[in-house]
Amino acid sequence: MQISLTVNGSRRELDVEPTMLLVEILRDQLRLTGTHIGCDTSQCGACNVLIDGKAVKSCTVIAGQADGAAVTTIEGLGAEGALHPMQAAFREAHGLQCGFCTPGMVIAGIAIAGRHGPNVDEETIRHDLEGNLCRCTGYTNIVKAIRAGASAL
């Protein structure tokens, strides 16, 4: 089946199997490997991307559902040589350890900031992160990073 996507600002025409998942298209066909597959059950959030500006677990999106959409992956954030404000906040607040969940957390943080604005509180961030798992941290620095990133956006 033929689908058309705008991925990180570039229009892409792709021939895909109808049952392919968006995460497979991003990783296997487009080689955008910053989007991670972490659990195969849509519980961890490591595969979060922005679809038309909303954070979505790309392991839950079938190819045809993404036809015509604008998809932003972790690779599409920031500008040449400059981090996106949320990425910079994660770096400054040490909001990562092993880094596996970080791309999904950054995408989730952007969506949280978009929904709640620059003054989002810790309780709201923790609530909204319930669909994202980190096995290395206690989320404290992730929450700090999202608060700082939200205020910088």
Side-chain angles (χ1 to χ4, degrees):
M1 110 187 255
Q2 199 68 20
I3 64 168
S4 179
L5 302 169
T6 301
V7 180
N8 298 332
S10 297
R11 193 78 174 154
R12 304 299 299 259
E13 303 290 330
L14 301 165
D15 187 30
V16 300
E17 293 295 321
T19 58
M20 280 187 85
L21 299 173
L22 179 58
V23 69
E24 295 170 322
I25 294 166
L26 295 172
R27 291 182 60 80
D28 299 340
Q29 288 194 1
L30 300 179
R31 301 289 185 224
L32 297 170
T33 57
T35 303
H36 295 155
I37 300 170
C39 65
D40 288 329
T41 58
S42 75
Q43 295 177 2
C44 75
C47 67
N48 279 346
V49 297
L50 296 172
I51 299 178
D52 296 329
K54 294 183 179 182
V56 176
K57 293 177 180 178
S58 61
C59 72
T60 65
V61 179
I62 297 173
Q65 293 174 299
D67 190 29
V71 178
T72 304
T73 68
I74 194 74
E75 292 93 345
L77 299 178
E80 186 68 32
L83 294 175
H84 182 279
M86 191 63 72
Q87 290 172 307
F90 266 75
R91 182 185 64 197
E92 295 301 316
H94 306 288
L96 58 102
Q97 280 188 351
C98 82
F100 190 82
C101 72
T102 305
M105 291 289 189
V106 169
I107 295 288
I110 292 168
I112 290 167
R115 282 192 305 277
H116 301 290
N119 299 314
V120 60
D121 61 69
E122 180 177 341
E123 182 180 347
T124 301
I125 293 169
R126 287 186 180 277
H127 176 268
D128 283 11
L129 282 178
E130 286 181 358
N132 292 72
L133 299 178
C134 176
R135 292 180 175 94
C136 299
T137 72
Y139 296 88
T140 300
N141 288 346
I142 292 170
V143 172
K144 286 180 188 176
I146 292 172
R147 287 190 79 189
S151 69
L153 289 176

